[in-house]
Amino acid sequence: MASVLIIGASRGIGLETVKAALEAGHSVRALARSARRIPIDHPKLTKMAGDALEMATVKRALSGVDVVTQSLGVSAGPEIIFEPTRLFSKATRVLVTAMEEAHVGRLICVTGFGAGDSRGRGGFLYNVAFHLLLARVYDDKDAQEWIIRRSKLDWVIVRPVILTDGPKTNAYRALVNPRRWTWGFISRADVADFLVKQIDDDAFLHKTPVLTG
């Protein structure tokens, strides 16, 4: 069993990953600004309140850790359409630097379908909606992926399609071949299930699977 640092652990995919990692028997350190509000209590769970943009906080969180999952998000609102964000790239640069210095080797990072070389592969309607609503966010996710790819880490970059709050189904697919990439829907619980499986599985190291239901 591993000691896992989950960044962005208080909601969404991060919270589901906390649940899945504990269920799998791992020890979990959950880092989020609102970590104290995580609605889970478990003897193998440590809640750590802090900012993923602060180097000192991240270094402290990495102490004794074997693997890191990162699933950051931004709040929905008009600013994600009209204003650029640097959250993903800044937090990832801090994390990669801290991990390399601490000799923590494995990073499992969530970006999204539309990041990197998956941009423009969702079909006409998806691509139009993506360009209108999420282009600025994904510009920063492109930078985030570039930072990870340039690192010395054993990384997996996970690109889920449109997220839902549905239950875990185990019926999802992880698509590595770009010819098979397509948009669709997947539950956050299924994404979390995949992330936890990458803790001790090398099948997707240095790959960028698209996850779809």
Side-chain angles (χ1 to χ4, degrees), residues 6 27 66 78 95 184 188:
I6 298 175
S27 297
D66 302 307
L95 177 60
R188 291 174 176 85

Side-chain angles (χ1 to χ4, degrees), residues 108-129:
I108 306 158
C109 178
V110 179
T111 59
F113 184 48
D117 57 355
S118 68
R119 184 172 295 205
R121 293 181 178 270
F124 177 74
L125 292 178
Y126 182 89
N127 294 338
V128 169

Side-chain angles (χ1 to χ4, degrees), residues 150-163:
R150 298 262 301 186
S151 75
K152 301 174 183 177
L153 304 176
D154 289 331
W155 53 263
V156 182
I157 293 172
V158 182
R159 297 166 169 171
V161 292
I162 300 171
L163 297 167

Side-chain angles (χ1 to χ4, degrees), residues 133-145:
L133 300 175
L134 296 173
R136 288 182 177 268
V137 170
Y138 273 74
D139 286 344
D140 196 42
K141 290 193 176 190
D142 289 347
Q144 177 186 24
E145 290 197 359

